[in-house]
Amino acid sequence: MRHLKLTGFIFFLLSLTESLALPTKPQDVDHFNATQKFIDENTAYLAIIAFSQYVQEASFDEVETLVKVMLDYRDRCWAHSTLPECSKIANDAIQDMFCDMEGLLQKYNFSHCCRKAGFPRRLCFFYNKKANVGFLPPFPTLDPEEKCQAYKNNSESFLHLYMYEVARRNPFVFAPVLLTVAAWFEEAATTCCEQQQKATCFQAKAAPITQYLKASSSYQRNVCGALIKFGPKVLNSINVAVFSKKFPKIGFKDLTSLLEDVSSMYEGCCEGDVVQCIRSQSQVMNHICSKQDSISSKIKVCCEKKTLEREACIINANKDDRPEGLSLREAKFTDSENVCQERDSDPDKFFAEFIYEYSRRHPDLSTPELLRITKVYMDFLEDCCSRESPAVCYRHAEDKFNETTQRSLAMVQQECKQFQELGKDTLQRHFLVKFTKAAPQLPMEELVSLSKEMVAALATCCTLSDEFACVDNLADLVLGELCGVNTNRTINPAVDHCCKTDFAFRRHCFEHLKADTTYALPSVSALVPALHADWCQPRKEDLQNKKHRFLVNLVKWMPEITDEERLCLFTKFTAAGEECSEVQEPESCFSPESSKTGNESQATEKQR
């Protein structure tokens, strides 16, 4: 590739002093040199990612200006590495350049961050990232011919603009993912611009890119939300479960060593430190591939790829086969007489090993379910170990685990039954009502997106052999989207409680949420006129959007009516709206003389 050359991966963004030991093994030296070459050729892309994710509102011209400043800084430090300014870590240097740029910190309200220093400032920049990007204009689309002409005229500027637009709309996506997306997009442009059917080619190439970006974004935001809201112990539990299911033959000692690198990676990536993120991820991939014989038999092909391409390959690789002779139970956690003593001697290690043993024996369970079982076990031991005969008590732990799994399984079975019986459109309205009742403070676009994602999860999973794990994993990611990454995300007391109290059981918590009674409802008498005006606007808008907006408003303004009443109002009003959109004077359709919809709405309110 001419511009984004995948000749290696990245240990650091720029040649700045960082806490990185120099390699000594020949293979590590080769990797280090390839990485340095990659940095030399692609620093601009990495700087665009950093600036666009931190300051999403900044224009492309402003980001390009900041990138030029960064490149000048890099060159200056290469020439004079002993300058005091060259001892900064890269993330601090990036933020310094933004804060020193005349007018930008005031224009984008970063003055309070720039007054801070070190970790508090980095955290401030991170908390300014906005997951809901509705404030940005729609993603710019070009006719395929125009796209190819722009690529031909100035491919570097064209690809920089693409990276800028993607990065600022995905502020929590890790830099290695965005670099992969950029590489795939460049390959698509190179290929499709030579084709006769350019539009068809771009559509085919865009689908897997979009899917990879969306899936990566959802998972990374969910895990970062867990780290930031619940701390490193929950993050470690997630990683133990994920890696133990994926690589069931890895030894616990080797897993512990690997997870030290994985935890370091998430700490840097989730904080928004591009340098630490890409450096640590490189280390994780190297760690896995250097010990693949003892980790997995399924990743040999992945480890032969260039480092930047390894991650997606390893993630998508099949789970390794369960080791022969591995029983479904590990007796040491339920049958040993010394369980309480072992727990007390090193609780973190004890429960990490429990998750490891249970996960590798039960690859059919979802990650959230494995965390629920671990939480149940922790609470159960707390009770058992306080009794006179602890062993008699905790020998029944498996019964508790099965009860927990049955509860979760019943939820998934009910959801898949609804999917089969209701169909996608009706089921989306069901989830739209459910999310709006629980979180009426959210904008319509976000509520619609959440309901679509739930339906997509069921559509993906409900016919698979691993239906339970698939649904539970994806549904938990949807709730991760709702709860958000930052601790300063707040919706209402009930939703906040589910998001922040117990990561493992938040899905169960959301399942029992009622309509939010703290939401300040507008007067119901204003409902019909407002909806009339919405439907009668001569705007070019998808009819489905109007139906969704009507349903959201109906739930917000009349949350306590029955499902039957809501369906009746929805059916009658949308039918009237469709008719009225075709007439010359649509407002007349909604008058009391020509429509019963308004009277029916008022009658329903009186009955309440």
Side-chain angles (χ1 to χ4, degrees):
M1 279 179 254
R2 197 163 52 253
H3 296 290
L4 193 63
K5 298 180 181 177
L6 305 183
T7 55
F9 201 53
I10 306 150
F11 277 107
F12 44 83
L13 179 59
L14 302 170
S15 294
L16 304 175
T17 302
E18 302 226 18
S19 56
L20 176 65
L22 290 174
T24 55
K25 296 179 181 178
Q27 64 268 31
D28 291 338
V29 171
D30 291 342
H31 178 74
F32 185 93
N33 291 337
T35 295
Q36 185 59 55
K37 184 179 179 184
F38 179 93
I39 297 301
D40 295 347
E41 295 170 342
N42 297 294
T43 300
Y45 283 94
L46 303 173
I48 288 170
I49 291 171
F51 287 125
S52 301
Q53 288 190 323
Y54 276 135
V55 195
Q56 295 159 266
E57 303 91 336
S59 69
F60 180 60
D61 288 342
E62 288 168 335
V63 170
E64 286 274 82
T65 299
L66 286 163
V67 169
K68 288 175 184 175
V69 173
M70 177 61 87
L71 292 174
D72 289 343
Y73 175 74
R74 177 203 64 182
D75 294 341
R76 189 163 63 253
C77 288
W78 277 349
H80 307 284
S81 60
T82 57
L83 290 172
E85 63 187 284
C86 299
S87 63
K88 299 174 184 177
I89 64 172
N91 211 32
D92 285 347
I94 288 168
Q95 292 175 5
D96 279 347
M97 283 163 204
F98 174 77
C99 291
D100 291 342
M101 191 66 67
E102 183 103 19
L104 285 189
L105 68 162
Q106 294 85 6
K107 182 178 179 180
Y108 297 116
N109 195 28
F110 271 80
S111 299
H112 63 298
C113 291
C114 292
R115 285 194 292 267
K116 303 177 189 288
F119 179 74
R121 187 177 70 174
R122 295 197 295 274
L123 203 59
C124 186
F125 267 75
F126 173 73
Y127 281 150
N128 269 277
K129 291 185 176 185
K130 304 170 186 69
N132 186 348
V133 294
F135 63 93
L136 294 176
F139 194 95
T141 56
L142 291 175
D143 174 88
E145 293 293 343
E146 294 177 322
K147 191 181 295 183
C148 289
Q149 190 60 50
Y151 179 64
K152 181 180 178 181
N153 291 344
N154 189 334
S155 57
E156 183 177 83
S157 178
F158 176 77
L159 293 169
H160 282 186
L161 179 60
Y162 175 78
M163 188 78 274
Y164 157 79
E165 296 289 5
V166 172
R168 70 185 187 134
R169 286 172 174 80
N170 295 276
F172 297 105
V173 173
F174 300 169
V177 170
L178 292 174
L179 290 171
T180 301
V181 166
W184 288 351
F185 179 71
E186 184 180 5
E187 288 177 357
T190 302
T191 301
C192 294
C193 289
E194 298 298 321
Q195 304 288 323
Q196 284 290 111
Q197 302 296 326
K198 293 180 176 60
T200 304
C201 180
F202 271 114
Q203 286 173 0
K205 295 283 188 184
I209 296 174
T210 303
Q211 184 179 6
Y212 170 69
L213 177 61
K214 186 174 181 180
S216 299
S217 174
S218 184
Y219 183 77
Q220 289 167 358
R221 285 172 59 181
N222 188 51
V223 176
C224 289
L227 170 62
I228 291 167
K229 292 176 180 177
F230 296 95
K233 286 186 180 180
V234 169
L235 171 67
N236 193 61
S237 296
I238 293 170
N239 289 330
V240 171
V242 168
F243 281 85
S244 300
K245 283 202 301 175
K246 186 83 171 177
F247 308 129
K249 74 176 186 180
I250 190 173
F252 181 66
K253 185 176 180 181
D254 286 340
L255 176 65
T256 302
S257 174
L258 172 61
L259 292 188
E260 288 177 4
D261 290 341
V262 174
S263 296
S264 175
M265 179 189 77
Y266 276 112
E267 285 170 7
C269 294
C270 293
E271 181 194 318
D273 187 336
V274 177
V275 177
Q276 176 66 12
C277 177
I278 53 187
R279 184 181 69 195
S280 299
Q281 183 161 304
S282 175
Q283 190 169 336
V284 169
M285 294 301 110
N286 282 339
H287 191 138
I288 291 173
C289 289
S290 67
K291 297 184 178 180
Q292 57 182 295
D293 290 341
S294 62
I295 292 178
S296 174
S297 60
K298 308 284 188 178
I299 59 174
K300 186 175 187 298
V301 173
C302 298
C303 291
E304 290 170 353
K305 294 180 178 292
K306 296 169 185 175
T307 313
L308 185 57
E309 300 167 330
R310 287 180 183 176
E311 183 208 12
C313 182
I314 290 174
I315 287 173
N316 291 317
N318 292 329
K319 296 174 187 173
D320 210 355
D321 302 323
R322 198 169 76 178
E324 287 185 22
L326 188 66
S327 65
L328 288 176
R329 292 180 69 243
E330 172 49 75
K332 69 175 286 185
F333 294 104
T334 55
D335 298 349
S336 168
E337 294 292 329
N338 302 317
V339 169
C340 296
Q341 292 90 327
E342 289 187 35
R343 179 201 66 165
D344 294 341
S345 65
D346 191 343
D348 291 345
K349 180 175 180 280
F350 177 82
F351 287 114
E353 190 171 0
F354 171 79
I355 302 174
Y356 160 74
E357 294 290 2
Y358 205 90
S359 300
R360 65 200 289 255
R361 286 168 164 77
H362 297 275
D364 54 314
L365 296 182
S366 66
T367 300
E369 184 61 21
L370 291 165
L371 299 187
R372 291 177 203 126
I373 288 169
T374 304
K375 179 67 164 60
V376 166
Y377 183 55
M378 292 172 73
D379 293 344
F380 193 53
L381 281 189
E382 190 70 27
D383 175 37
C384 291
C385 292
S386 64
R387 301 190 179 194
E388 274 191 36
S389 303
V392 175
C393 176
Y394 58 63
R395 281 185 185 132
H396 298 285
E398 286 287 346
D399 296 335
K400 294 288 185 182
F401 303 159
N402 293 336
E403 287 173 15
T404 305
T405 300
Q406 284 304 314
R407 282 177 57 202
S408 302
L409 180 61
M411 286 172 55
V412 170
Q413 290 173 334
Q414 175 64 21
E415 288 165 340
C416 283
K417 182 182 177 183
Q418 289 175 325
F419 175 74
Q420 300 295 345
E421 293 178 350
L422 299 179
K424 289 185 180 180
D425 290 343
T426 303
L427 189 59
Q428 185 179 346
R429 290 198 293 270
H430 164 78
F431 282 116
L432 189 55
V433 169
K434 190 172 182 177
F435 282 122
T436 305
K437 278 186 171 184
Q441 295 82 0
L442 294 179
M444 191 271 288
E445 293 78 11
E446 191 170 348
L447 292 165
V448 170
S449 175
L450 291 168
S451 64
K452 280 184 178 177
E453 288 181 20
M454 274 302 300
V455 173
L458 298 177
T460 300
C461 302
C462 285
T463 57
L464 299 179
S465 58
D466 61 341
E467 174 184 281
F468 169 59
C470 182
V471 171
D472 203 38
N473 279 328
L474 292 185
D476 189 65
L477 294 185
V478 175
L479 295 182
E481 297 278 340
L482 172 59
C483 292
V485 176
N486 291 336
T487 53
N488 57 4
R489 161 92 158 174
T490 181
I491 298 172
N492 62 53
V495 171
D496 293 348
H497 171 79
C498 289
C499 288
K500 297 176 181 178
T501 302
D502 190 329
F503 181 80
F505 279 95
R506 68 181 178 186
R507 184 149 137 75
H508 290 230
C509 182
F510 273 104
E511 189 64 19
H512 298 99
L513 277 188
K514 306 297 182 185
D516 177 26
T517 57
T518 68
Y519 183 63
L521 294 169
S523 168
V524 75
S525 61
L527 170 62
V528 176
L531 293 172
H532 290 179
D534 181 39
W535 279 73
C536 296
Q537 287 289 330
R539 72 175 97 181
K540 292 181 180 179
E541 185 179 16
D542 187 275
L543 181 62
Q544 197 69 11
N545 287 344
K546 289 189 175 185
K547 289 183 177 182
H548 287 156
R549 185 161 49 245
F550 168 67
L551 186 56
V552 167
N553 284 329
L554 186 61
V555 174
K556 286 184 178 183
W557 285 357
M558 304 172 72
E560 301 302 330
I561 62 175
T562 66
D563 291 340
E564 291 76 14
E565 289 172 325
R566 187 179 300 107
L567 178 61
C568 179
L569 283 169
F570 176 81
T571 303
K572 288 178 179 287
F573 195 92
T574 53
E578 289 181 53
E579 282 182 28
C580 291
S581 64
E582 302 297 325
V583 301
Q584 288 187 341
E585 296 181 0
E587 281 287 357
S588 64
C589 283
F590 293 101
S591 65
E593 293 78 13
S594 58
S595 174
K596 296 181 180 180
T597 308
N599 292 331
E600 287 171 348
S601 299
Q602 292 166 4
T604 303
E605 174 63 13
K606 288 178 181 177
Q607 289 172 7
R608 290 171 59 208

